[in-house]
Amino acid sequence: MTMITSTPTTSQSGSRNATAAFAATDVTPVLRVENLEVTYYTDLGRAKALDDVSFTLNAGEKMGMVGESGSGKSTLALAMMRMIKPPGRIEAGRVLVGDTDLMSLSDEGMRLARLSKIAYIPQGAMNSLNPVTRIGAQLVDAIKSHMPKESRSSIEERCVHALKSVDLDPSVFRMYAHELSGGMKQRVCIAIGILLSPQVIIADEPTSALDVVTQRQVMETIDRVQDQINAAVILIGHDMGLMAQFVDKVSVMYAGRLVEVSTVREMFTEPKHPYAKALISSLPNLDNKGVFQGIPGLAPSLLRLPTGCAFHPRCASAMPRCSVERPEVTTLESGRRVACHLYTEEA
Ligand code: SF4
């Protein structure tokens, strides 16, 4: 994990919109996720993997989505793409990209919306490149059904342009995946994601399994292509150090709920939710000299969530009402959103 100091850097574009993210209330968000709910129906019972998740994102904004494994981050991405498979089911909610509610599209409409309105770079995407097909053919395949009237040469031109946008030489078009390094393969996946200039890009752990130098290069690539197409970007990940440098705001998920949404600076300097505080204080930094402070207890099973606030068995600030009453997400005066009884009055 990247070592960080207690505050995120302001030199990266990740922080350039950090204040504007909440101040610009007159800007119509390009992405609105409203009350999204996903349940998995298993033999052992019902697991609510996403519970009433709502947030917005403006064009050009980058949001980091963090939380322990199983907190619902990837489920959220899959639900937004309408790629939840049985026994999972999207129970409720809307995902609006511009004026289009993805949840109300036909299957064909949604197929066309993928890549053109919203793109998803899944976890381990670089390992899913076809080893026996040239990179160029894979790029062309990804979009040719979106552009039935376009000539092959014009589609190829678009693909080469996308490769150049992610700093890859056009010769990569004719290469095979095994001829590329991990970082180059990940950039190919980013190139596929931007082929049709979507308004929203979701990247799930885009830097996992890469060395730290390549991680940085990949993040800088995402940053640059985002600037080019002014997309809203959601970065799912565990590395808070990278998040600190590259995102504008941070959402923290716990047991299928969004428990805090704050600007990156607020999150790293003054996290509100006790779980967010625990996440931040568990990071290595230059002050704690290698003494790691973990989060006590384990993430709960979604099949047997604790009553009230799902975090209460692990929370050092828990009060009697926490075990019986679920805290709703409230918006504080500063615009931050927190689901915790500690802030009910402040809200
Ligand atoms: Fe802790 Fe209570 Fe807040 Fe939950 S609602 S995070 S248990 S203080």
Side-chain angles (χ1 to χ4, degrees):
M1 178 179 286
T2 311
M3 294 285 283
I4 61 161
T5 53
S6 56
T7 54
T9 172
T10 54
S11 63
Q12 298 297 322
S13 62
S15 297
R16 65 183 178 264
N17 293 330
T19 311
F22 285 89
T25 47
D26 54 335
V27 175
T28 306
V30 69
L31 172 67
R32 282 174 289 157
V33 174
E34 296 174 356
N35 313 108
L36 200 53
E37 292 194 13
V38 171
T39 302
Y40 284 92
Y41 291 83
T42 73
D43 292 342
L44 298 173
R46 285 195 317 175
K48 207 165 205 181
L50 273 193
D51 188 356
D52 201 15
V53 171
S54 301
F55 64 91
T56 62
L57 213 50
N58 295 335
E61 248 189 324
K62 209 180 283 113
M63 181 168 84
M65 186 73 67
V66 299
E68 290 162 297
S69 297
S71 59
K73 307 184 299 291
S74 297
T75 301
L76 172 60
L78 292 172
M80 290 172 65
M81 298 299 293
R82 277 181 47 187
M83 288 165 61
I84 296 284
K85 299 231 160 59
R89 195 191 297 162
I90 298 172
E91 307 275 29
R94 302 202 304 165
V95 177
L96 291 126
V97 178
D99 293 329
T100 307
D101 178 11
L102 302 183
M103 296 298 139
S104 65
L105 293 177
S106 64
D107 288 348
E108 176 60 9
M110 187 62 214
R111 189 185 67 74
L112 293 173
R114 295 190 191 108
L115 282 191
S116 64
K117 287 187 181 296
I118 184 166
Y120 175 48
I121 305 168
Q123 210 170 347
M126 65 182 183
N127 300 320
S128 62
L129 290 173
N130 190 327
V132 295
T133 306
R134 290 183 202 274
I135 296 296
Q138 296 184 56
L139 266 74
V140 170
D141 273 354
I143 55 167
K144 68 178 180 203
S145 64
H146 286 80
M147 319 178 89
K149 296 195 178 128
E150 202 89 11
S151 68
R152 173 91 188 181
S153 62
S154 132
I155 291 177
E156 285 187 5
E157 210 174 294
R158 180 183 279 266
C159 295
V160 170
H161 179 73
L163 288 175
K164 286 191 200 158
S165 303
V166 297
D167 263 352
L168 288 172
D169 191 272
S171 62
V172 169
F173 190 83
R174 305 210 60 77
M175 294 168 84
Y176 291 95
H178 69 85
E179 297 176 88
L180 309 178
S181 68
M184 291 168 84
K185 283 191 271 189
Q186 191 57 295
R187 276 190 243 168
V188 168
C189 295
I190 297 168
I192 294 173
I194 60 164
L195 276 170
L196 297 178
S197 304
Q199 291 157 281
V200 179
I201 300 172
I202 308 170
D204 195 348
E205 304 268 10
T207 58
S208 60
L210 298 174
D211 63 78
V212 285
V213 175
T214 313
Q215 281 182 357
R216 188 171 186 87
Q217 289 167 347
V218 166
M219 294 297 280
E220 284 169 355
T221 302
I222 292 175
D223 220 27
R224 208 176 44 256
V225 296
Q226 177 189 24
D227 272 352
Q228 288 165 13
I229 62 174
N230 199 29
V233 169
I234 298 174
L235 283 172
I236 296 172
H238 289 97
D239 192 330
M240 296 287 273
L242 273 180
M243 293 279 178
Q245 295 168 70
F246 286 97
V247 302
D248 303 306
K249 58 184 179 183
V250 180
S251 293
V252 178
M253 290 203 75
Y254 189 80
R257 296 189 76 201
L258 269 190
V259 295
E260 178 164 350
V261 184
S262 295
T263 65
V264 67
R265 176 161 289 279
E266 289 166 335
M267 185 64 79
F268 280 85
T269 53
E270 197 205 347
K272 292 280 190 190
H273 194 281
Y275 176 62
K277 283 184 189 169
L279 271 185
I280 300 293
S281 59
S282 67
L283 292 172
N285 65 51
L286 296 178
D287 299 326
N288 66 16
K289 297 193 169 48
V291 180
F292 293 100
Q293 205 180 327
I295 304 174
L298 295 172
S301 160
L302 295 176
L303 288 165
R304 287 176 298 281
L305 282 181
T307 54
C309 170
F311 189 57
H312 86 258
R314 308 171 74 186
C315 180
S317 310
M319 304 168 275
R321 69 187 287 204
C322 298
S323 57
V324 286
E325 196 183 325
R326 192 178 94 137
E328 294 310 319
V329 180
T330 46
T331 304
L332 308 185
E333 219 172 292
S334 57
R336 303 174 70 174
R337 296 174 62 227
V338 188
C340 172
H341 291 311
L342 290 174
Y343 304 98
T344 311
E345 277 181 24
E346 190 181 331

